[in-house]
Amino acid sequence: MKSAVIQLPGLNRDRDMIAALTKVSGRSPVTVWQTETEIPDVDLIVLPGGFSYGDYLRCGAIAARMPVMKAVAEKAAKGVMVIGVCNGFQILLESGLLPGALMRNASLKFVCREVKLQVANANTAFTRSYAPGQIIRCPVAHHDGNYFTDSKTLERIEGEGQVVFRYVEGTNPNGSINDIAAIVNRGGNVLGIMPHPENLIESAHGGTDGRLLFESVLGKAA
Amino acid sequence: MTIPNTIRITEELVAAHGLKPDEYQRILDLIGREPTFTELGIFSAMWNEHCSYKSSKKWLRTLPTSGPRVIQGPGENAGVVDIGDGQAVVFKMESHNHPSYIEPYQGAATGVGGILRDVFTMGARPIAAMNALRFGAPEHEKTRHLVAGVVAGIGGYGNSFGVPTVGGEVNFDARYNGNCLVNAFAAGLARTDAIFYSKAEGVGLPVVYLGAKTGRDGVGGATMASAEFDADIDEKRPTVQVGDPFTEKCLLEACLELMETGAVIAIQDMGAAGLTCSAVEMGAKGNLGIELDLDKVPVREERMTAYEMMLSESQERMLMVLRPEKEHQAEAIFRKWGLDFAIVGKTTDDRRFRVLHQGEEVANLPIRELGDEAPEYDRPWVAPETRPALDPAGLPPTDIADALLKLLDSPDLSSRRWVWEQYDTLILGNSLQIPGGDAGVVRVEDHPTKALAFSSDVTPRYCEADPYEGGKQAVAECWRNLTATGAEPLAATDNLNFGNPERPDIMGQFVRAIEGVGEACRVLGFPIVSGNVSLYNETLGEPIPPTPTIAGVGLIPDWSYMARIAFPEEGQAVLLAGAPENWGEHLGQSAYLREVHGKAEGTSPPVDLAHEKRVGDFVRGLIRAGKVTAAHDCSDGGLAVALAEMSVAGGMGAHIDSPPGNPSTAFFGEDQGRYVLTCKVDDVDELLDAARAADLSLFTIGTTGGSELKLGDARAISVTEIEEAHEGWFPHFMQD
């Protein structure tokens, strides 16, 4: 099982992600710098969280136009697994690899706290180790996590099971539509998730609820 | 077209630079001629209070700054302390008070940026941040605006940079109405064999400018920070710098990458007084001269004068002396991160600080004298008046349960969740304890068991009533908070915030507080390894209360034996360590007295440092032996508030016995050197024996469990009600 972590200036949860992938898979991921036009042969590509290009212009907008993102899109088209967490999710949206947009939190404030997520679709490559409807703990840390899309797209992604995690009622930290916390593309190989499962994978984190996400995807590709 | 440097130096111009007539005379004597306009700016930058410590130096020298683990004490960008295994923790706290009052978001943000830069300049990757904030009365018209802006600014910078904020303080007091305090702390991890210093070495070597471009922002900032505020404060807004955390994050990665290559001889960040201070510091420390060519400085504005470039406080910049053979490698790293890299000068052997601009020499000054010959004052001071002790018997009786709820719902004792949920407390994946406990704890990456604890403390109302005892208490509380997690307190950084030192009463507060801080540090073996002094915290003659913030670092050898504050399990014993027979007796200057009785009377609680040390060492020993299941120090609000916090954190109540004496003093007294502990019932006798053997007091005072907290004969309060009181005040105040 081989993985790659994309690095862009301003991303800052790359270290967390590299540690999580190494701990779960037993292998260090390769890192790929923004100017690379080719990504090595891997089973999983991860866009970690942070503030690529300072979130200037619009979260993820500048990063989505870097050379490496063309390579990510090519790999995704070939069925390689891709995860974008937080700013990585925003970059996937700006790249057009996932539908919708992430707006400023309804509170207009950055929020870092633990929330509860419900597995909305346990039948994906990223969630198959969870039970259907399972409620898990997971931290969030973001300023722009308020997911939104037009009603037609919303109907489609809801209808086709593309919503994979929802904030449990009363814990939605950002006002996202239908409490959406994570979605997959139609092909089921590209995941965008706002919370940070990589920060809840070992006892030092106070829980391991995020670990099963990585076990799901790493297990399948292994 | 050249920009002139020939402005006539008048008395008014000298005064506008914050220089007194005798200080200007000193300049004339030193250089034997009238300074140029740029030179006057340079002197003003180097000789202001903020950069020269001219009023405080004499007293700072009395602080203990060394110890077996101290690698670098005060005088560098940050202090360095050995934590074993070839690793060191690098840390410092610094104020950004004046800028934060003028422009709260950018003032606080650049305060965080500055302290992070101090840490990574030394080769350390930042792993934790804290902040100590003091605002005016909640009902004051500016307070809410300042709280919102400062908190957003700290989060905006720290979150984007990518450092977890794991601790801090927030206080409200009308005495900060015109002058809030923003003290920012950062700590980083480095290898002991790869610490970088600011001392330049070698003649004729390139001086390299790194990072962001120079603009006009912050020109004269350090001089502004060395004066009192007057009614025209809004006009000072242009002296506040603007932060760019994205550039800082890139600068961090580029600097650490460059340091790995062995190219760096000396490095200094550009903080207060920017290019001037950093260049002078590197040259003076190395006993060398520095020549700068301002035409090579990357600028983002046109037609900047030499004066403006030398005094700009644009953020995210560094100055470095480089090994010439590594120049291309170094430049490639900075280009990769999209940062400026320019050779702007060289080291010389003549100990002169020479500045060239458009072919003209605009400054030529003796470099060592700029720093070393700065004026130093032994300012007159008067000892603060001692206050009469409070007689608790004179207070009307109160309902203990109602008083507790009132305290928990008060500005100073309510939960700070509203604040710290705007900070990323989890990034880097090593946070073991986030705000809400006694100390923030972060595990040491790549080590199986080690962790570092961080706490920031001071109780300004104690310092106001008795600066000496208050200074002692600030150190003791910090030491105690670290101890309560099981950490061995290693060293501390001090951020001394006071009013105008030219007033003998204020100078007296400063002197006595430093004496108290020094005494506590000596007895507790807790040296001060870095720090910052912020004076002139006054508006229209109204000074702040003396506020010597102490931020400390502790080492936990094995975090699987770490204590938290939460009641862990039903049916465990609750114990009180280090208390007098009647559990507590000192109500003078207590939160209870202020919130419930509306009085600010009496003396500060005295700190018996020898007792503090013995109790702390005892408690730490129990934690490390795995005998204690929870620990929490008693501080503001006394025993009752400590128990309430343990209940809320654990989601369970406790039944506490009736105290032997007056319930108000037992539950709300703020006697120092006390800890609340829990343990398994089977271990109680062993713990009591151990305390007896150590000649320390340890009382069993109750049992955990149930959904209510019952304090002696008072009515039981549900944990839900306690939590609502505790969590309610801040969001309500901020109108969320």
Side-chain angles (χ1 to χ4, degrees), chain B residues 334-362:
Chain B
F334 275 78
R335 296 287 176 231
K336 170 188 160 190
W337 288 99
L339 297 166
D340 270 299
F341 177 101
I343 293 177
V344 296
K346 61 177 189 222
T347 57
T348 62
D349 62 0
D350 60 3
R351 292 180 221 164
R352 302 293 293 184
F353 183 43
R354 214 178 288 122
V355 182
L356 310 173
H357 188 223
Q358 297 184 330
E360 187 195 346
E361 188 178 82
V362 293

PDB file of all heavy atoms in Angstrom, chain B residues 334-362:
ATOM      1  N   PHE B 334      15.183  29.648  -0.913  1.00  0.00           N
ATOM      2  CA  PHE B 334      14.246  30.764  -0.699  1.00  0.00           C
ATOM      3  C   PHE B 334      13.364  31.018  -1.917  1.00  0.00           C
ATOM      4  O   PHE B 334      12.192  31.346  -1.793  1.00  0.00           O
ATOM      5  CB  PHE B 334      15.004  32.009  -0.226  1.00  0.00           C
ATOM      6  CG  PHE B 334      15.199  31.969   1.258  1.00  0.00           C
ATOM      7  CD1 PHE B 334      16.185  31.168   1.817  1.00  0.00           C
ATOM      8  CD2 PHE B 334      14.347  32.649   2.097  1.00  0.00           C
ATOM      9  CE1 PHE B 334      16.321  31.059   3.189  1.00  0.00           C
ATOM     10  CE2 PHE B 334      14.480  32.558   3.469  1.00  0.00           C
ATOM     11  CZ  PHE B 334      15.469  31.763   4.021  1.00  0.00           C
ATOM     12  N   ARG B 335      13.931  30.823  -3.090  1.00  0.00           N
ATOM     13  CA  ARG B 335      13.109  30.978  -4.310  1.00  0.00           C
ATOM     14  C   ARG B 335      12.018  29.918  -4.350  1.00  0.00           C
ATOM     15  O   ARG B 335      10.881  30.198  -4.742  1.00  0.00           O
ATOM     16  CB  ARG B 335      13.987  30.866  -5.566  1.00  0.00           C
ATOM     17  CG  ARG B 335      15.024  31.953  -5.687  1.00  0.00           C
ATOM     18  CD  ARG B 335      14.410  33.312  -6.063  1.00  0.00           C
ATOM     19  NE  ARG B 335      15.455  34.340  -6.077  1.00  0.00           N
ATOM     20  CZ  ARG B 335      15.368  35.508  -5.439  1.00  0.00           C
ATOM     21  NH1 ARG B 335      14.292  35.800  -4.746  1.00  0.00           N
ATOM     22  NH2 ARG B 335      16.352  36.372  -5.501  1.00  0.00           N
ATOM     23  N   LYS B 336      12.377  28.684  -3.943  1.00  0.00           N
ATOM     24  CA  LYS B 336      11.386  27.598  -3.941  1.00  0.00           C
ATOM     25  C   LYS B 336      10.171  27.984  -3.094  1.00  0.00           C
ATOM     26  O   LYS B 336       9.029  27.680  -3.440  1.00  0.00           O
ATOM     27  CB  LYS B 336      12.041  26.329  -3.382  1.00  0.00           C
ATOM     28  CG  LYS B 336      11.059  25.186  -3.099  1.00  0.00           C
ATOM     29  CD  LYS B 336      11.727  24.023  -2.357  1.00  0.00           C
ATOM     30  CE  LYS B 336      10.668  23.162  -1.674  1.00  0.00           C
ATOM     31  NZ  LYS B 336      11.239  22.167  -0.768  1.00  0.00           N
ATOM     32  N   TRP B 337      10.419  28.659  -1.996  1.00  0.00           N
ATOM     33  CA  TRP B 337       9.326  29.061  -1.101  1.00  0.00           C
ATOM     34  C   TRP B 337       8.752  30.427  -1.459  1.00  0.00           C
ATOM     35  O   TRP B 337       7.954  30.989  -0.707  1.00  0.00           O
ATOM     36  CB  TRP B 337       9.798  29.029   0.356  1.00  0.00           C
ATOM     37  CG  TRP B 337       9.982  27.623   0.846  1.00  0.00           C
ATOM     38  CD1 TRP B 337      11.157  26.922   0.933  1.00  0.00           C
ATOM     39  CD2 TRP B 337       8.954  26.709   1.269  1.00  0.00           C
ATOM     40  NE1 TRP B 337      10.919  25.649   1.376  1.00  0.00           N
ATOM     41  CE2 TRP B 337       9.583  25.481   1.602  1.00  0.00           C
ATOM     42  CE3 TRP B 337       7.568  26.807   1.400  1.00  0.00           C
ATOM     43  CZ2 TRP B 337       8.860  24.366   2.051  1.00  0.00           C
ATOM     44  CZ3 TRP B 337       6.847  25.705   1.849  1.00  0.00           C
ATOM     45  CH2 TRP B 337       7.503  24.503   2.173  1.00  0.00           C
ATOM     46  N   GLY B 338       9.180  30.977  -2.584  1.00  0.00           N
ATOM     47  CA  GLY B 338       8.603  32.231  -3.069  1.00  0.00           C
ATOM     48  C   GLY B 338       8.988  33.447  -2.236  1.00  0.00           C
ATOM     49  O   GLY B 338       8.227  34.402  -2.131  1.00  0.00           O
ATOM     50  N   LEU B 339      10.186  33.395  -1.622  1.00  0.00           N
ATOM     51  CA  LEU B 339      10.580  34.483  -0.720  1.00  0.00           C
ATOM     52  C   LEU B 339      11.740  35.287  -1.304  1.00  0.00           C
ATOM     53  O   LEU B 339      12.503  34.788  -2.138  1.00  0.00           O
ATOM     54  CB  LEU B 339      11.022  33.895   0.621  1.00  0.00           C
ATOM     55  CG  LEU B 339       9.933  33.147   1.387  1.00  0.00           C
ATOM     56  CD1 LEU B 339      10.546  32.334   2.514  1.00  0.00           C
ATOM     57  CD2 LEU B 339       8.889  34.113   1.915  1.00  0.00           C
ATOM     58  N   ASP B 340      11.876  36.514  -0.842  1.00  0.00           N
ATOM     59  CA  ASP B 340      12.986  37.347  -1.286  1.00  0.00           C
ATOM     60  C   ASP B 340      14.292  36.891  -0.656  1.00  0.00           C
ATOM     61  O   ASP B 340      14.330  36.436   0.496  1.00  0.00           O
ATOM     62  CB  ASP B 340      12.717  38.815  -0.937  1.00  0.00           C
ATOM     63  CG  ASP B 340      11.984  39.521  -2.060  1.00  0.00           C
ATOM     64  OD1 ASP B 340      12.573  39.576  -3.162  1.00  0.00           O
ATOM     65  OD2 ASP B 340      10.845  39.975  -1.861  1.00  0.00           O
ATOM     66  N   PHE B 341      15.343  37.015  -1.434  1.00  0.00           N
ATOM     67  CA  PHE B 341      16.689  36.659  -0.989  1.00  0.00           C
ATOM     68  C   PHE B 341      17.605  37.689  -1.624  1.00  0.00           C
ATOM     69  O   PHE B 341      17.677  37.780  -2.846  1.00  0.00           O
ATOM     70  CB  PHE B 341      17.040  35.247  -1.487  1.00  0.00           C
ATOM     71  CG  PHE B 341      18.433  34.792  -1.154  1.00  0.00           C
ATOM     72  CD1 PHE B 341      18.660  33.929  -0.093  1.00  0.00           C
ATOM     73  CD2 PHE B 341      19.524  35.208  -1.923  1.00  0.00           C
ATOM     74  CE1 PHE B 341      19.951  33.495   0.207  1.00  0.00           C
ATOM     75  CE2 PHE B 341      20.823  34.777  -1.611  1.00  0.00           C
ATOM     76  CZ  PHE B 341      21.019  33.916  -0.553  1.00  0.00           C
ATOM     77  N   ALA B 342      18.257  38.502  -0.822  1.00  0.00           N
ATOM     78  CA  ALA B 342      19.109  39.533  -1.394  1.00  0.00           C
ATOM     79  C   ALA B 342      20.328  39.758  -0.511  1.00  0.00           C
ATOM     80  O   ALA B 342      20.193  39.857   0.712  1.00  0.00           O
ATOM     81  CB  ALA B 342      18.326  40.837  -1.536  1.00  0.00           C
ATOM     82  N   ILE B 343      21.499  39.826  -1.135  1.00  0.00           N
ATOM     83  CA  ILE B 343      22.692  40.198  -0.368  1.00  0.00           C
ATOM     84  C   ILE B 343      22.671  41.713  -0.250  1.00  0.00           C
ATOM     85  O   ILE B 343      22.703  42.425  -1.258  1.00  0.00           O
ATOM     86  CB  ILE B 343      23.960  39.689  -1.064  1.00  0.00           C
ATOM     87  CG1 ILE B 343      23.944  38.154  -1.016  1.00  0.00           C
ATOM     88  CG2 ILE B 343      25.215  40.233  -0.365  1.00  0.00           C
ATOM     89  CD1 ILE B 343      25.075  37.488  -1.709  1.00  0.00           C
ATOM     90  N   VAL B 344      22.547  42.201   0.971  1.00  0.00           N
ATOM     91  CA  VAL B 344      22.372  43.648   1.172  1.00  0.00           C
ATOM     92  C   VAL B 344      23.571  44.284   1.865  1.00  0.00           C
ATOM     93  O   VAL B 344      23.559  45.481   2.139  1.00  0.00           O
ATOM     94  CB  VAL B 344      21.098  43.967   2.000  1.00  0.00           C
ATOM     95  CG1 VAL B 344      19.855  43.525   1.253  1.00  0.00           C
ATOM     96  CG2 VAL B 344      21.143  43.305   3.377  1.00  0.00           C
ATOM     97  N   GLY B 345      24.581  43.494   2.170  1.00  0.00           N
ATOM     98  CA  GLY B 345      25.721  44.099   2.837  1.00  0.00           C
ATOM     99  C   GLY B 345      26.783  43.081   3.144  1.00  0.00           C
ATOM    100  O   GLY B 345      26.760  41.965   2.626  1.00  0.00           O
ATOM    101  N   LYS B 346      27.720  43.490   3.997  1.00  0.00           N
ATOM    102  CA  LYS B 346      28.803  42.588   4.375  1.00  0.00           C
ATOM    103  C   LYS B 346      29.289  42.927   5.783  1.00  0.00           C
ATOM    104  O   LYS B 346      29.051  44.024   6.302  1.00  0.00           O
ATOM    105  CB  LYS B 346      29.949  42.699   3.365  1.00  0.00           C
ATOM    106  CG  LYS B 346      30.544  44.078   3.296  1.00  0.00           C
ATOM    107  CD  LYS B 346      31.717  44.103   2.322  1.00  0.00           C
ATOM    108  CE  LYS B 346      32.430  45.432   2.423  1.00  0.00           C
ATOM    109  NZ  LYS B 346      32.823  46.022   1.171  1.00  0.00           N
ATOM    110  N   THR B 347      29.962  41.955   6.376  1.00  0.00           N
ATOM    111  CA  THR B 347      30.582  42.203   7.675  1.00  0.00           C
ATOM    112  C   THR B 347      31.929  42.888   7.437  1.00  0.00           C
ATOM    113  O   THR B 347      32.594  42.637   6.430  1.00  0.00           O
ATOM    114  CB  THR B 347      30.818  40.890   8.439  1.00  0.00           C
ATOM    115  OG1 THR B 347      31.628  40.030   7.628  1.00  0.00           O
ATOM    116  CG2 THR B 347      29.508  40.185   8.755  1.00  0.00           C
ATOM    117  N   THR B 348      32.305  43.769   8.358  1.00  0.00           N
ATOM    118  CA  THR B 348      33.598  44.475   8.237  1.00  0.00           C
ATOM    119  C   THR B 348      34.350  44.359   9.556  1.00  0.00           C
ATOM    120  O   THR B 348      33.797  43.898  10.562  1.00  0.00           O
ATOM    121  CB  THR B 348      33.367  45.966   7.921  1.00  0.00           C
ATOM    122  OG1 THR B 348      32.640  46.542   9.023  1.00  0.00           O
ATOM    123  CG2 THR B 348      32.572  46.161   6.644  1.00  0.00           C
ATOM    124  N   ASP B 349      35.608  44.806   9.532  1.00  0.00           N
ATOM    125  CA  ASP B 349      36.409  44.663  10.762  1.00  0.00           C
ATOM    126  C   ASP B 349      36.517  45.971  11.536  1.00  0.00           C
ATOM    127  O   ASP B 349      37.261  46.063  12.490  1.00  0.00           O
ATOM    128  CB  ASP B 349      37.805  44.126  10.415  1.00  0.00           C
ATOM    129  CG  ASP B 349      38.552  45.090   9.511  1.00  0.00           C
ATOM    130  OD1 ASP B 349      37.988  46.151   9.168  1.00  0.00           O
ATOM    131  OD2 ASP B 349      39.692  44.768   9.131  1.00  0.00           O
ATOM    132  N   ASP B 350      35.760  47.009  11.121  1.00  0.00           N
ATOM    133  CA  ASP B 350      35.984  48.320  11.746  1.00  0.00           C
ATOM    134  C   ASP B 350      34.956  48.685  12.832  1.00  0.00           C
ATOM    135  O   ASP B 350      34.980  49.791  13.348  1.00  0.00           O
ATOM    136  CB  ASP B 350      36.006  49.418  10.666  1.00  0.00           C
ATOM    137  CG  ASP B 350      34.699  49.493   9.896  1.00  0.00           C
ATOM    138  OD1 ASP B 350      33.762  48.717  10.254  1.00  0.00           O
ATOM    139  OD2 ASP B 350      34.594  50.277   8.945  1.00  0.00           O
ATOM    140  N   ARG B 351      34.082  47.773  13.148  1.00  0.00           N
ATOM    141  CA  ARG B 351      33.091  48.005  14.211  1.00  0.00           C
ATOM    142  C   ARG B 351      32.255  49.264  13.981  1.00  0.00           C
ATOM    143  O   ARG B 351      31.871  49.956  14.924  1.00  0.00           O
ATOM    144  CB  ARG B 351      33.764  48.072  15.585  1.00  0.00           C
ATOM    145  CG  ARG B 351      34.318  46.741  16.015  1.00  0.00           C
ATOM    146  CD  ARG B 351      34.963  46.845  17.371  1.00  0.00           C
ATOM    147  NE  ARG B 351      36.188  46.077  17.404  1.00  0.00           N
ATOM    148  CZ  ARG B 351      37.124  46.209  18.323  1.00  0.00           C
ATOM    149  NH1 ARG B 351      36.979  47.093  19.289  1.00  0.00           N
ATOM    150  NH2 ARG B 351      38.201  45.470  18.291  1.00  0.00           N
ATOM    151  N   ARG B 352      32.048  49.578  12.724  1.00  0.00           N
ATOM    152  CA  ARG B 352      31.170  50.707  12.382  1.00  0.00           C
ATOM    153  C   ARG B 352      29.886  50.158  11.778  1.00  0.00           C
ATOM    154  O   ARG B 352      29.893  49.125  11.103  1.00  0.00           O
ATOM    155  CB  ARG B 352      31.830  51.635  11.336  1.00  0.00           C
ATOM    156  CG  ARG B 352      33.159  52.224  11.736  1.00  0.00           C
ATOM    157  CD  ARG B 352      33.084  53.194  12.872  1.00  0.00           C
ATOM    158  NE  ARG B 352      32.358  54.437  12.561  1.00  0.00           N
ATOM    159  CZ  ARG B 352      32.260  55.449  13.428  1.00  0.00           C
ATOM    160  NH1 ARG B 352      32.813  55.361  14.638  1.00  0.00           N
ATOM    161  NH2 ARG B 352      31.590  56.537  13.101  1.00  0.00           N
ATOM    162  N   PHE B 353      28.814  50.854  11.999  1.00  0.00           N
ATOM    163  CA  PHE B 353      27.556  50.529  11.353  1.00  0.00           C
ATOM    164  C   PHE B 353      27.365  51.550  10.250  1.00  0.00           C
ATOM    165  O   PHE B 353      27.117  52.725  10.510  1.00  0.00           O
ATOM    166  CB  PHE B 353      26.406  50.587  12.365  1.00  0.00           C
ATOM    167  CG  PHE B 353      25.077  50.202  11.780  1.00  0.00           C
ATOM    168  CD1 PHE B 353      24.956  49.100  10.931  1.00  0.00           C
ATOM    169  CD2 PHE B 353      23.928  50.927  12.067  1.00  0.00           C
ATOM    170  CE1 PHE B 353      23.729  48.736  10.394  1.00  0.00           C
ATOM    171  CE2 PHE B 353      22.698  50.566  11.535  1.00  0.00           C
ATOM    172  CZ  PHE B 353      22.605  49.478  10.704  1.00  0.00           C
ATOM    173  N   ARG B 354      27.579  51.105   9.008  1.00  0.00           N
ATOM    174  CA  ARG B 354      27.584  52.028   7.883  1.00  0.00           C
ATOM    175  C   ARG B 354      26.401  51.712   6.976  1.00  0.00           C
ATOM    176  O   ARG B 354      26.186  50.557   6.615  1.00  0.00           O
ATOM    177  CB  ARG B 354      28.901  51.892   7.125  1.00  0.00           C
ATOM    178  CG  ARG B 354      29.362  53.215   6.562  1.00  0.00           C
ATOM    179  CD  ARG B 354      30.680  53.157   5.831  1.00  0.00           C
ATOM    180  NE  ARG B 354      31.837  52.990   6.676  1.00  0.00           N
ATOM    181  CZ  ARG B 354      32.698  51.981   6.556  1.00  0.00           C
ATOM    182  NH1 ARG B 354      32.517  51.053   5.656  1.00  0.00           N
ATOM    183  NH2 ARG B 354      33.729  51.896   7.345  1.00  0.00           N
ATOM    184  N   VAL B 355      25.638  52.731   6.619  1.00  0.00           N
ATOM    185  CA  VAL B 355      24.456  52.538   5.776  1.00  0.00           C
ATOM    186  C   VAL B 355      24.588  53.392   4.523  1.00  0.00           C
ATOM    187  O   VAL B 355      24.786  54.610   4.612  1.00  0.00           O
ATOM    188  CB  VAL B 355      23.164  52.914   6.540  1.00  0.00           C
ATOM    189  CG1 VAL B 355      21.942  52.668   5.658  1.00  0.00           C
ATOM    190  CG2 VAL B 355      23.046  52.121   7.841  1.00  0.00           C
ATOM    191  N   LEU B 356      24.506  52.755   3.364  1.00  0.00           N
ATOM    192  CA  LEU B 356      24.614  53.458   2.092  1.00  0.00           C
ATOM    193  C   LEU B 356      23.256  53.493   1.408  1.00  0.00           C
ATOM    194  O   LEU B 356      22.499  52.525   1.475  1.00  0.00           O
ATOM    195  CB  LEU B 356      25.614  52.740   1.169  1.00  0.00           C
ATOM    196  CG  LEU B 356      26.972  52.413   1.783  1.00  0.00           C
ATOM    197  CD1 LEU B 356      27.786  51.571   0.830  1.00  0.00           C
ATOM    198  CD2 LEU B 356      27.710  53.699   2.139  1.00  0.00           C
ATOM    199  N   HIS B 357      22.967  54.625   0.779  1.00  0.00           N
ATOM    200  CA  HIS B 357      21.706  54.745   0.044  1.00  0.00           C
ATOM    201  C   HIS B 357      21.925  55.677  -1.130  1.00  0.00           C
ATOM    202  O   HIS B 357      22.375  56.805  -0.957  1.00  0.00           O
ATOM    203  CB  HIS B 357      20.608  55.304   0.969  1.00  0.00           C
ATOM    204  CG  HIS B 357      19.244  55.290   0.352  1.00  0.00           C
ATOM    205  ND1 HIS B 357      18.376  56.332   0.453  1.00  0.00           N
ATOM    206  CD2 HIS B 357      18.622  54.355  -0.388  1.00  0.00           C
ATOM    207  CE1 HIS B 357      17.251  56.046  -0.181  1.00  0.00           C
ATOM    208  NE2 HIS B 357      17.380  54.848  -0.713  1.00  0.00           N
ATOM    209  N   GLN B 358      21.667  55.196  -2.316  1.00  0.00           N
ATOM    210  CA  GLN B 358      21.829  55.977  -3.545  1.00  0.00           C
ATOM    211  C   GLN B 358      23.224  56.600  -3.633  1.00  0.00           C
ATOM    212  O   GLN B 358      23.385  57.781  -3.952  1.00  0.00           O
ATOM    213  CB  GLN B 358      20.745  57.058  -3.627  1.00  0.00           C
ATOM    214  CG  GLN B 358      19.363  56.443  -3.693  1.00  0.00           C
ATOM    215  CD  GLN B 358      18.277  57.465  -3.866  1.00  0.00           C
ATOM    216  OE1 GLN B 358      18.394  58.603  -3.415  1.00  0.00           O
ATOM    217  NE2 GLN B 358      17.187  57.064  -4.495  1.00  0.00           N
ATOM    218  N   GLY B 359      24.203  55.781  -3.285  1.00  0.00           N
ATOM    219  CA  GLY B 359      25.583  56.219  -3.411  1.00  0.00           C
ATOM    220  C   GLY B 359      26.069  57.136  -2.305  1.00  0.00           C
ATOM    221  O   GLY B 359      27.220  57.554  -2.282  1.00  0.00           O
ATOM    222  N   GLU B 360      25.196  57.427  -1.378  1.00  0.00           N
ATOM    223  CA  GLU B 360      25.583  58.338  -0.298  1.00  0.00           C
ATOM    224  C   GLU B 360      25.657  57.561   1.016  1.00  0.00           C
ATOM    225  O   GLU B 360      24.869  56.631   1.235  1.00  0.00           O
ATOM    226  CB  GLU B 360      24.513  59.427  -0.191  1.00  0.00           C
ATOM    227  CG  GLU B 360      24.842  60.539   0.772  1.00  0.00           C
ATOM    228  CD  GLU B 360      23.607  61.395   1.110  1.00  0.00           C
ATOM    229  OE1 GLU B 360      22.584  61.281   0.390  1.00  0.00           O
ATOM    230  OE2 GLU B 360      23.673  62.145   2.088  1.00  0.00           O
ATOM    231  N   GLU B 361      26.611  57.930   1.868  1.00  0.00           N
ATOM    232  CA  GLU B 361      26.662  57.302   3.185  1.00  0.00           C
ATOM    233  C   GLU B 361      25.705  58.060   4.102  1.00  0.00           C
ATOM    234  O   GLU B 361      25.950  59.203   4.453  1.00  0.00           O
ATOM    235  CB  GLU B 361      28.086  57.360   3.733  1.00  0.00           C
ATOM    236  CG  GLU B 361      28.254  56.572   5.005  1.00  0.00           C
ATOM    237  CD  GLU B 361      29.696  56.602   5.501  1.00  0.00           C
ATOM    238  OE1 GLU B 361      30.073  57.597   6.153  1.00  0.00           O
ATOM    239  OE2 GLU B 361      30.434  55.644   5.227  1.00  0.00           O
ATOM    240  N   VAL B 362      24.616  57.419   4.478  1.00  0.00           N
ATOM    241  CA  VAL B 362      23.594  58.133   5.263  1.00  0.00           C
ATOM    242  C   VAL B 362      23.736  57.890   6.754  1.00  0.00           C
ATOM    243  O   VAL B 362      23.110  58.557   7.564  1.00  0.00           O
ATOM    244  CB  VAL B 362      22.164  57.759   4.814  1.00  0.00           C
ATOM    245  CG1 VAL B 362      21.894  58.256   3.404  1.00  0.00           C
ATOM    246  CG2 VAL B 362      21.929  56.254   4.906  1.00  0.00           C
TER     247      VAL B 362
END
